Amino acid sequence: MAETKTKKGKKSGAKSNGVPKLKFNTGWEYAPAPESKTHIKLNDRYELFINGKFVKPLSGKYFETINPATEEKIAEVAEANVADVDKAVKAARNAYEKVWKKIPGSERAKYIFRISRMIQERAREFAVIESMDGGKAIRESRDVDVPLAANHFFYYAGWADKLEYAFPGRVPRSLGVAGQIIPWNFPLLMAAWKIAPAIATGNTVVLKPAETTPLTALKLAEIIQESGLPDGVVNIVTGFGQTGADIVNHADIDKIAFTGSTEVGKIIQKAVAGTNKKITLELGGKAANIIFEDAPLDQAVEGVINGIYFNQGHVCCAGSRLFVQESVYNIVLRKLKDRIETLIVGDPLDKNTDIGAINSKTQLETINKYINIGKKEGAEMYQSSCPIPGRGFFCRPTLFTNVAQSNRIAQEEIFGPVLAIQTFRTDEEVIEKANNTPYGLSAGVWTDKGSKIFNLTTKMRAGVVWANTYNKFDPSSPFGGYKESGYGREGGLHGLSAYLKI
Ligand code: NAP
Ligand code: MG
C-alpha cells in the first residue's frame, strides 16, 4: 500500500504523547491510537504509605520518577531512610499483634476481595500509569499486568479462610512482619504477588517498589486505604537500593521476599544468614525456547516473539535463548526475521505498539553493552529496520545467530529484546545445551509429539516449562526457579506456605 497518510490524515512522524509516531515497515501505516490520559489521577508528589496514611519522609528527601518514553518527570516520590523503614516496620508489627493475626480468615478475605475488585474498577487508570512510569506497551499493562494483579488478590482472598484445608492435619500459623522488595519489570503485578499471599495468611507487610517504577504501588496504597484495610497491615516505602537493604537488615522482620537480580539476591541471602528470617528469592533467568522440526512453525515463531520481545524483554522468564532443530533452522530464521520487521517500536501508550520503552537509561546501556559483546564475540546480529523515536529509551528487536554456547550473550541475562539463536540435532543434545546455564527459571518446548514434551519437561532444570505456548501465568500455578534463579515458589498453594509456619 503506497498510502502516505494515516486514516486520520496525519502524516507519519506525527507526535502522540510527545513520542514520534512510527511507520510500519511493510508500507502499511497505522494511525496513532493513543490511550487517553484524561481518566488518570496523578499527584505531583507522593509520600510514604505508613500506618494507613500518606506521611512525609523523616529523611526529608524526594526523588523523581520519569517516563522512559519521553524522559519527562512524572512525579516526585519520597525516599525512605532507615528511620522511615523503622517507622513502617513498627506500624506493621503493631497491626500484626493487635489486629491482623487475631481476626478470622473470613474477615481478612473480605478486604482482599475488595482490593481485587477495586483494581478491576480502576484497571484503565492502572494500565496507563504502569505504561507511563515503566515504559511497557499499553497492550501488555492493560491485558496482562493489571488483570493478573487483580486475579492474584482474588485467588488468595479465596484461601484466607481455608488454610487448614490447604494443609490438612496441620496447623498453619502466620509468620509476622514480611519485608518485600520488588523490581521494575512488572511493578503492580509483583506487588500483588507479594502482598496478596502475605496478608491472606495473616501477616503484615512493608513493601518497597523499584526506584524507576514506584507509582502503581502508590496507587495501590490509595486503594488499600479506601478499602478500609486496618492501618499498618500494608505499608509502602519508596526509595533506592539502600531502602531495600534497610528492610532486609531490620531486626523485627520475620520474612524477606525478594524479586530482582541474582546479584542483589546473593547480598540479601548473606545479610539474612544466621538470623531467624525466612526468605524467598525470585531471581534472574536465561530461558531456552526449543523448536523441534515437527512443531507448528508459525505458532512456534509467534511464541518465540512473545517470549523475548514481550515487555521489551524485561521478563525474568524471557525466552532469551532459542534452540532450533537443524532441519528447520533456515525456515524458522526467515520467519523470525520477517516477523521482527513487522513489530512496532514506540510510544508505550499507543495501542498499536508491540515494544515500548526500555525501563531506564541504565538498562538501555546494559542492553547495548551486550549487543556489542555479541558482535565482538563473533555472533551475527540482525536487527529490525524499524525507526525508533529520537527521545526516550528504545531498542530495536534484535537477534543473534552463529552463537556459541560459551558466548556471554548465551550465558548472561541481558533483560532486553535480544535473542540468541543456536541449533541442535537430537533431544539429548538440546537438553544438555538448554541446561547448560547458571539459571533455571523457565523454558519452552515446541513440538507435535506428546512423548517429546514429557521427555523434555522431566529433564529440563527449570521451574516452569511451557509446552507449545510461552509466558502464560495463572495465580493458581506456582512460579520460581532452580540454581541461580532463586528458591521458594510464588503463586498457588506453594505461595501460601512461603508465608506460614506449618
Ligand atoms: P535489582 O537491581 O536486584 O532490584 C530489585 C529490587 O531490589 C529493587 O527494588 C531495588 O531497588 C532493590 N535493591 C537494590 N539493591 C538492594 C540491596 N542491596 N538490598 C535490598 N534491596 C535492594 O533488580 P532489577 O534490576 O530491579 O530487576 C531485574 C531483575 O529481576 C532481573 O534479574 C530479573 O530476572 C529479576 N526478576 C525475577 C523475577 C522472578 O520471579 N524470578 C521476576 C521479575 C524480575 P532499586 O530499584 O532502587 O535499585
Ligand atoms: Mg519511572
Side-chain angles (χ1 to χ4, degrees):
M1 218 167 111
E3 193 75 313
T4 52
K5 286 190 176 176
T6 60
K7 269 190 236 159
K8 289 179 184 164
K10 281 191 187 158
K11 291 223 174 80
S12 73
K15 290 192 176 185
S16 64
N17 299 306
V19 180
K21 190 55 213 158
L22 302 174
K23 208 173 158 193
F24 196 59
N25 218 29
T26 51
W28 286 83
E29 206 170 303
Y30 279 63
E35 173 67 52
S36 156
K37 289 196 278 188
T38 54
H39 57 89
I40 67 164
K41 196 175 151 273
L42 275 173
N43 304 339
D44 293 335
R45 179 177 263 200
Y46 281 90
E47 311 292 353
L48 304 172
F49 183 63
I50 297 177
N51 209 23
K53 284 157 207 78
F54 286 92
V55 295
K56 293 199 182 308
L58 298 169
S59 73
K61 288 191 195 160
Y62 293 83
F63 62 96
E64 291 183 356
T65 186
I66 64 156
N67 178 339
T70 61
E71 299 178 50
E72 280 158 12
K73 170 180 157 185
I74 307 176
E76 264 174 23
V77 180
E79 181 185 338
N81 67 11
V82 69
D84 291 303
V85 168
D86 183 55
K87 194 170 154 189
V89 174
K90 286 202 170 103
R93 174 62 59 193
N94 191 47
Y96 177 71
E97 300 295 344
K98 300 214 171 113
V99 186
W100 202 239
K101 79 169 183 190
K102 293 185 184 163
I103 70 170
S106 54
E107 284 300 308
R108 293 199 301 270
K110 284 185 199 165
Y111 294 107
I112 305 169
F113 277 125
R114 199 176 296 154
I115 293 167
S116 169
R117 243 187 354 257
M118 291 171 82
I119 295 174
Q120 282 172 331
E121 279 161 11
R122 287 167 63 176
R124 277 184 70 203
E125 184 181 13
F126 270 97
V128 171
I129 295 174
E130 199 72 306
S131 285
M132 286 171 67
D133 202 16
K136 64 174 61 196
I138 186 75
R139 226 179 45 193
E140 283 158 16
S141 42
R142 182 196 61 201
D143 298 349
V144 181
D145 298 64
V146 178
L148 271 177
N151 282 354
H152 228 78
F153 278 103
F154 189 82
Y155 174 80
Y156 279 110
W159 275 119
D161 62 346
K162 304 176 193 69
L163 297 178
E164 60 270 42
Y165 301 104
F167 306 99
R170 301 164 82 179
V171 187
R173 282 196 207 92
S174 53
L175 300 173
V177 178
Q180 307 182 319
I181 300 159
I182 56 172
W184 43 259
N185 60 341
F186 289 91
L188 178 70
L189 183 58
M190 289 299 117
W193 275 32
K194 295 274 181 282
I195 295 172
I199 64 175
T201 46
N203 303 279
T204 58
V205 164
V206 177
L207 174 114
K208 187 198 99 68
E211 66 189 68
T212 56
T213 53
L215 294 180
T216 44
L218 292 162
K219 295 299 286 185
L220 180 62
E222 291 176 2
I223 279 188
I224 286 170
Q225 198 178 37
E226 277 174 48
S227 76
L229 187 78
D231 292 347
V233 172
V234 173
N235 304 276
I236 295 179
V237 290
T238 41
F240 303 105
Q242 185 55 46
T243 309
D246 292 339
I247 294 176
V248 170
N249 296 323
H250 197 290
D252 199 29
I253 281 195
D254 301 293
K255 149 101 191 177
I256 295 291
F258 172 78
T259 297
S261 61
T262 299
E263 190 191 345
V264 175
K266 285 179 179 169
I267 297 174
I268 292 179
Q269 194 172 17
K270 277 196 199 124
V272 168
T275 70
N276 284 330
K277 288 172 190 157
K278 244 185 133 175
I279 176 169
T280 39
L281 299 173
E282 300 284 359
L283 310 176
K286 192 75 188 174
N289 231 329
I290 301 168
I291 302 183
F292 284 96
E293 60 189 3
D294 58 16
L297 295 185
D298 287 324
Q299 196 183 320
V301 164
E302 206 49 41
V304 171
I305 295 281
N306 170 38
I308 182 65
Y309 302 121
F310 163 69
N311 198 21
Q312 300 73 246
H314 297 339
V315 186
C316 50
C317 49
S320 50
R321 293 180 297 154
L322 171 63
F323 294 94
V324 187
Q325 199 154 22
E326 253 179 35
S327 49
V328 290
Y329 174 69
N330 287 335
I331 182 163
V332 167
L333 187 61
R334 185 180 56 72
K335 282 176 186 286
L336 266 175
K337 286 182 175 175
D338 285 353
R339 184 67 180 95
I340 281 178
E341 271 304 307
T342 67
L343 294 174
I344 300 175
V345 182
D347 181 4
L349 285 185
D350 194 312
K351 291 166 206 138
N352 297 319
T353 296
D354 297 300
I355 301 183
I358 300 301
N359 182 265
S360 66
K361 186 160 178 259
T362 318
Q363 188 56 26
L364 182 58
E365 284 165 1
T366 304
I367 297 167
N368 286 333
K369 178 190 86 182
Y370 274 107
I371 290 177
N372 285 327
I373 289 173
K375 288 194 256 182
K376 278 200 196 114
E377 283 177 322
E380 210 171 293
M381 186 192 74
Y382 176 83
Q383 253 181 349
S384 156
S385 62
C386 67
I388 56 174
R391 201 159 175 224
F393 315 127
F394 291 91
C395 180
R396 293 188 175 87
T398 305
L399 62 80
F400 278 99
T401 53
N402 271 333
V403 176
Q405 187 70 7
S406 58
N407 286 171
R408 286 180 67 189
I409 53 165
Q411 288 290 331
E412 296 172 23
E413 188 183 44
I414 301 172
F415 225 55
V418 182
L419 178 67
I421 309 180
Q422 293 172 266
T423 59
F424 70 95
R425 287 184 187 168
T426 65
D427 295 19
E428 291 67 37
E429 182 191 349
V430 76
I431 291 167
E432 199 195 314
K433 280 182 167 169
N435 282 339
N436 180 1
T437 162
Y439 296 108
L441 191 56
S442 59
V445 182
W446 299 85
T447 170
D448 202 26
K449 304 261 183 315
S451 57
K452 225 173 240 173
I453 292 174
F454 285 119
N455 183 29
L456 261 86
T457 48
T458 50
K459 291 179 185 156
M460 301 284 294
R461 295 268 295 149
V464 183
V465 185
W466 285 289
N468 294 323
T469 186
Y470 206 84
N471 272 343
K472 286 278 181 288
F473 297 94
D474 188 277
S476 63
S477 57
F479 185 85
Y482 282 95
K483 301 191 276 185
E484 294 207 358
S485 292
Y487 49 76
R489 295 289 178 265
E490 291 187 313
L493 264 179
H494 297 67
L496 286 173
S497 50
Y499 288 96
L500 290 167
K501 279 179 270 201
I502 301 166

